[in-house]
Structures are given as C-alpha cells and as structure tokens.
Amino acid sequence: MSTAIDVRSVVKHYGTMTALHQVSMAIRDNEFFTLLGPSGCGKTTLLRCIAGFESVSGGDILLYGRDIATLEPNYRPVNTVFQQYALFPHMSVLDNVAFGLKMKGVGLAERRARAGKMLEMVHLSAFADRMPSQLSGGQQQRVALARALAPEPKVLLLDEPLSALDLKLRQAMRVELKTLQEQTGITFIFVTHDQEEALTMSDRIAVMSQGRVQQIGTAREIYEAPNNRFVADFIGETNLLEVEVVTASGGMAEVVLPGGHRLRCAAADTTPGRHHLSIRPERLSIAAEGPLTGTVERVVYLGTDLQLLTRLPDGAPFTLRLQNSARTQVPEPGSTVSLQLEDGAARLLVD
Amino acid sequence: MAGGVLPPPSNRGGTGWGPLRVPLLIPTWVMIGIFLLLPVLLMAVYSFLTKEFRGGVIWDFTLAAYDQFFFDRGLFGDEPPVIEWTYISIFWRSIWQAGVATLACLLVGFPTAWFIATRAPAQRTVWLFLITIPYWVNLLIRTVSLKFLIRDNGPLNEALIGLGLLDHPLPLVNTNLAVQLGLFYSYLPFMVLPIYAAVERYNFALSEAASDLYAGRWTILREIVLPMVRPGIVAGCILVFVPSLGAFLAPDLLGGAKTYMIGSLIDEQFKGSQGNWPFGAAIAVILMTMVLMVLMAQARAALKGERK
Ligand SMILES: Nc1ncnc2c1ncn2[C@@H]1O[C@H](COP(=O)(O)OP(=O)(O)OP(=O)(O)O)[C@@H](O)[C@H]1O
Ligand SMILES: [Mg+2]
C-alpha cells in the first residue's frame, strides 16, 4: 500500500505562536483518514498546509513521493471541501461544479457532462441550474463536495464539512461520504472534533492536541489502546485512577489499585512510579466481589444504557455503564457495591 | 452605496410598517420635492423661455435655446439651418475627458480600495481617514494648488529638470491631460469608497476555493473577484463620471480654450450680462437627459444580470 500524503516533521508558526509542533503522519492511498482533536489543536492549520493556503515553517509534505510544500494551491492535485462551503455565489450549481474542470482546460461539452455526472452522484441533478443561494445547507454541502470531487483530485481534504448540518442530516451524510469515498477510491483527509464521527467513518484516526499528534491508529486501537491520558480522556468516557506500578515489562504491568488490590494490565508506559490507569465504564460490572468498591451516588437513565455514578473509598468519582436489559439489577443510591473488571478493561497510560 | 444601484431584493415590497408607511415617507417626499424635483422643473421651464439681454428671462415660450444648441442659422439667423458642431463637440470632449478620468480613477482606485480592505480592521479606518483628509480643503483651492504644482516653473517641472530627466519644462497647464488630472484628483475618493465597501464584504474564502480548483491569480480576479465587487465598481464609475461630465473648476483653472467642457459652458451662461439663462438651462437639460439615459441602461443591465 503506497503513501498518498507524507507529512514529515511539519512545523507551523504564527508569529510567536506555534500551531504545529513537528507533526508527522503517513496517510495511505485510498484511505479515509481523520484528524480529530479539540478546538484550536491545529487541524485546520495542517489541512491548510496540505492544500497550500498556508506555507509551512519547517518540514516537508510529500504527495505520492513528490515534495509539494512550496507549490501554490493551484498546482497541487488536492481539492478541499470548505467548512463554510465557499460556493461561488454568482455561478449556477453546474458552473460551480464544472469550475475546476474549466480551469484544467476541459472543453465546455465534456465538463458539463462530467459536472452533471458528479451532481448525479450527490443526488442533485434536479438542481443544476439553481444558484447556490437557492439551496438548503445540506444541498450546498453536497455541491461543495461535488465541486471538489469533479476534477478527480488525488486527495480530498474536508474541513468539518458536516458541522453546519443538523443531527439527522449529519448522520445521513456520514454514510454518503463514506460510500462516495469507497466509490471514487480517492484518499480522504477528514477533519472533525466530533469523536463519534471520527470513530464511525475513519479507516485511521490521528488524535491531535495543542499542535501535536498524540496517537495514530484505527478507531479500535485508539479507543481500546490509548497511548496517553489525553487520548484516553478525549476518546469516549473513561475513569482515570492514579496507581502505583509494582512491576512492568513487555507491555504489561502490575499495579496497586486504590484499596490495595493488585492488577495485571496492558501498559503503554512501563517506567516505574505513579501513573494513570484508564478503565472504560462499559467494561465494568457489579459482582459479589471485585478489586474495587464504590458507593452509588446516582443512577442516570440513558435509554439503552444506565450510567452509575459512584465514589471510591478515597473519594474519587468512578463511572460505570450497564446495559439496560430486563436482567440488569440496579443498585439503590447510597449502597456500596463491588466492581469487577473485564479482561483488558484497564490500561496503564503515559501522562 | 455599498449595495450598488439596486436595493437588495429582501427590501422590496412590504416592510411591515403598515398604516404608518405613508406618514413616515412624507418628509422624504417633501425633501425630494423641494430640493430635487422643483429645481429640475424650474430649469426645464427656463430652458423654454426667451433670453433677456441683461441676464434673466422674459416669459415668452420658445425653442430658441435648443435651436441654438443644435443648429447654425448664420450670423443673423436668416440662413437655412445647418448642424452646429460647436456645442456638440464640447459635449464629446466632456464625455471623453470624464471617461479618461473615470478610467484613471478605476485603475488607481481599485488597487487602493483593495489595499485598504485587506488591512487589519483597525488600520482600515486610519487609511480611509487619510484618503478623505484632502477633501476637507475647498475644491477650488485644491485645484489652484494643483495648477501651481504642474505649471512650467512649478515644483513638478523643476524636480524633473533638476533630476536631469527633462531639458525644458513639460507644458502641462492648458492641456487635456491637466484637466484629466484635475478631474482624477477631484473625484478619486468617490471611486475608492464604494469599491472599498464591496471588497470589504468580499469573502476571501472564495479566492482560496478558486485557487484550490486550479485558478491562477488573474483568473481569480477575472472570474470571481470582479463579478463579486461589480456593484461597487459600477457605483464608483457613476459617482466619478457624472460629476466629471459637468465639472467646471478643473477645466476652467487647469485647461484653456481648447479644453472647454460642458460645465464651463453652462457656468458662463449664468454669469453677468453676457449670459443666456435659457441657453444654459437647455444645455443642462440635454446633459441631464444623457446622464439619465446612461443610468437607465446600467440599471437595466443590472436587472438582467440579476435575473440570469
Ligand atoms: N492566521 C492565524 N494567525 C494566528 N494564529 C492562528 C491563525 N490561524 C490559526 N491560528 C492559531 O493556531 C491554532 C490552531 O488553529 P486551527 O484553526 O488549526 O485549529 P483547529 O484545530 O482547526 O480548531 P477548530 O476545531 O476550532 O476549527 C489556534 O490556536 C489558532 O488560534
Ligand atoms: Mg478548524
């Protein structure tokens, strides 16, 4: 599998502020790759560096082995779907979609036919002659997508393309985007700060924070085997406990839980000392006996699930998620319960 | 002004003010009536009156003023009429001069407006302020100063000679160029401001989108930017062209007999006992008719563009 975009130690400064610190990632051909991170972590900046709207302060960006870091945007075979769509208001939908082809010198008849095909693909054939202002947000979004796909770029960049849509439409568009990516075989680099979006759509995800890449992996890898505290905390819900490491080697560690029980678990960091342990709430159950005990404070009804908010003896909050089935025994608030961990529920993290 | 010649579509039709609409509009109509319609009407009426020799009019209706403009009937008015080219050629020259000044204003005003609109917001105010400073000084004084600058032994020529670029002074005063320069200088801000307003509202993400789709700089300017800021450009051109057409200070002070323009011609008809009020009024009516025709053509083109 070849590398579509190779980002090598890219640094980006804005004045004295550093938006990207030595960011590296290799995005594979035909991959749905997602940049995920909180607001201000540098996702847009990285995307703009790849598109060419920002120049990098250091590092290289390779597109199929060719260095493109110094090329103007109009010389990069990479297209962007902008967050606010940026459709040309004075052109019809069809002319918007055909614009890239026109700039590439494709003749009128052929570019109209190809733009028409793109519109068909995003189910907007009936709207070809409308102006962008006469479309709904979701329709504009799809025009933006068709416009960026029409010149058949090697890589498509999408900056939070779904964030302006309502929930229903967003969920429908997720499926549509994924299908489109599989149909066209174009590499997608997708930016979002919505972790659910990232987990459901991506082949791989790069989790970013404060201008740094925290972890790159499949949805399962970053959810189940987070490297560090930031990733564990940012992706999904988790309980973080400070624990003492007794022994550690070969990716496994033995730690002392609050309350004195010893536990063997997977470890991202194997240096001795005090570290954080992540325990996912849905990997816990109430049992007759277990390594942890908690006092139930509140039971929150979430429909398919029940959320149990408990406190450990040392006062730390600790959350469980139980499936809401007929067999689930719901403890009374105020009662003390023993908590059992499933295999692989706990993971020792790098701080 | 920023919205161009036409109001945005959403402002048309009902406003929700209901019964208050008419009373609220009365002050506007009264103002327009007293300060716009009445003077124009007065001028139109005067153009059909008979000239009185010490200046002023006799209330005898006649087409003499228009006849004088278009036809030559010999010294004593008894020969068969031939077309009088004197005044028509003054009109042509005025249109030419105003056109050149408008083009110059556009070529300088657009980059200026672009520059200001792309500064940081706080700086824009400063730049706009600087642009308007010269206009706190009376136009007459500024025009005289310009004459001082460009005359044969003025600072411009002395500097050029001092630098060894010229042997003897470049004669600028009393040329078409001087008049064009004067008009350009007088009306430049009227070009800059509406274009600035349009560029300021331009969404620069559109330029990024176009460059992402393989458009080069000039293509972006032609295909995206110009169509988007067109209303500002049109407004600026009208605001420069129309007053340039009727200007008389610049042609009077910077030009000579060869560069006579409509404004001076009209001005002359209302001065002293040499004047001819009905003739002056008739020229003004002809000028206004021409301007209205241009504006209407533009409005129709804009409407058509919008419908498309
Ligand atoms: N043109 C700029 N000048 C100065 N600082 C900038 C500029 N653009 C971005 N930044 C800074 O760089 C950092 C990263 O910004 P970026 O837009 O990449 O964040 P993001 O991850 O896309 O966030 P969001 O999810 O809110 O869109 C931010 O701290 C931001 O303030
Ligand atoms: Mg962003």
Side-chain angles (χ1 to χ4, degrees), chain A residues 48 51 53 72-74 76-80 82 86-91 99-100 102-104 131 147-148 151 153, chain B residues 202-217 219-220 222-228 305-306 308:
Chain A
R48 291 175 61 83
F53 305 135
E72 290 289 313
N74 48 327
R76 302 190 189 196
V78 165
N79 288 155
T80 307
F82 292 84
L87 298 178
F88 306 128
H90 59 298
M91 293 182 195
F99 187 82
K102 184 178 173 189
M103 292 302 117
K104 288 182 99 175
M131 300 306 274
R147 183 180 70 173
Chain B
Y202 175 69
N203 176 8
F204 282 88
L206 297 182
S207 292
E208 282 188 352
S211 91
D212 190 60
L213 293 164
Y214 317 107
R217 280 157 195 266
T219 314
I220 295 173
R222 199 180 61 236
E223 302 263 337
I224 313 291
V225 176
L226 287 182
M228 298 303 295
E306 208 163 83
K308 202 179 78 183

Side-chain angles (χ1 to χ4, degrees), chain A residues 74-256:
Chain A
N74 48 327
Y75 293 107
R76 302 190 189 196
V78 165
N79 288 155
T80 307
V81 178
F82 292 84
Q83 185 166 5
Q84 301 302 330
Y85 315 143
L87 298 178
F88 306 128
H90 59 298
M91 293 182 195
S92 70
V93 164
L94 190 71
D95 287 342
N96 263 280
V97 176
F99 187 82
L101 295 170
K102 184 178 173 189
M103 292 302 117
K104 288 182 99 175
V106 176
L108 181 69
E110 195 194 335
R111 68 177 185 253
R112 297 201 128 225
R114 278 170 70 181
K117 241 191 221 113
M118 286 316 304
L119 282 177
E120 220 166 90
M121 209 149 135
V122 296
H123 316 300
L124 280 179
S125 298
F127 298 85
D129 295 325
R130 293 234 194 146
M131 300 306 274
S133 59
Q134 298 168 314
L135 298 180
S136 73
Q139 290 164 343
Q140 289 184 30
Q141 206 282 325
R142 287 187 299 201
V143 175
L145 194 62
R147 183 180 70 173
L149 282 171
E152 296 174 355
K154 296 234 168 86
V155 175
L156 190 73
L157 309 175
L158 305 101
D159 192 357
E160 308 204 25
L162 308 183
S163 65
L165 307 180
D166 64 47
L167 183 67
K168 261 269 158 31
L169 204 52
R170 203 153 68 217
Q171 286 169 339
M173 279 305 294
R174 277 181 202 164
V175 180
E176 222 168 299
L177 265 184
K178 186 76 186 154
T179 318
L180 217 53
Q181 191 260 336
E182 280 159 9
Q183 270 175 17
T184 56
I186 292 173
T187 307
F188 276 33
I189 305 181
F190 182 87
V191 163
T192 181
H193 57 236
D194 180 335
Q195 48 152 315
E196 192 186 323
E197 217 162 88
L199 294 176
T200 52
M201 294 167 69
S202 321
D203 293 324
R204 285 191 310 151
I205 301 168
V207 182
M208 293 178 65
S209 154
Q210 298 188 347
R212 290 189 171 83
V213 176
Q214 301 295 333
Q215 187 169 356
I216 299 177
T218 63
R220 181 174 284 268
E221 277 164 7
I222 63 165
Y223 185 80
E224 292 183 5
N227 271 338
N228 60 31
R229 243 174 98 182
F230 176 84
V231 176
D233 209 19
F234 188 73
I235 309 291
E237 261 183 297
T238 197
N239 294 296
L240 289 175
L241 297 179
E242 210 178 313
V243 294
E244 187 71 38
V245 178
V246 185
T247 58
S249 65
M252 295 297 285
E254 188 167 327
V255 300
V256 183

Side-chain angles (χ1 to χ4, degrees), chain B residues 222-293:
Chain B
R222 199 180 61 236
E223 302 263 337
I224 313 291
V225 176
L226 287 182
M228 298 303 295
V229 302
R230 212 183 85 116
I233 294 177
V234 170
C237 288
I238 289 173
L239 287 177
V240 171
F241 184 76
V242 171
S244 294
L245 204 55
F248 60 92
L249 272 181
D252 269 7
L253 294 171
L254 300 168
K258 284 197 313 258
T259 61
Y260 211 68
M261 281 174 63
I262 312 172
S264 318
L265 185 63
I266 297 175
D267 184 42
E268 210 126 280
Q269 306 313 318
F270 293 93
K271 271 187 186 161
S273 56
Q274 296 299 312
N276 182 344
W277 288 19
F279 187 50
I283 303 169
V285 167
I286 294 167
L287 176 63
M288 203 178 67
T289 312
M290 252 172 48
V291 168
L292 278 180
M293 269 157 45

Side-chain angles (χ1 to χ4, degrees), chain B residues 147 172-179 252-259:
Chain B
K147 183 173 189 170
L172 282 170
V173 175
N174 293 348
T175 62
N176 281 335
L177 187 65
V179 177
D252 269 7
L253 294 171
L254 300 168
K258 284 197 313 258
T259 61

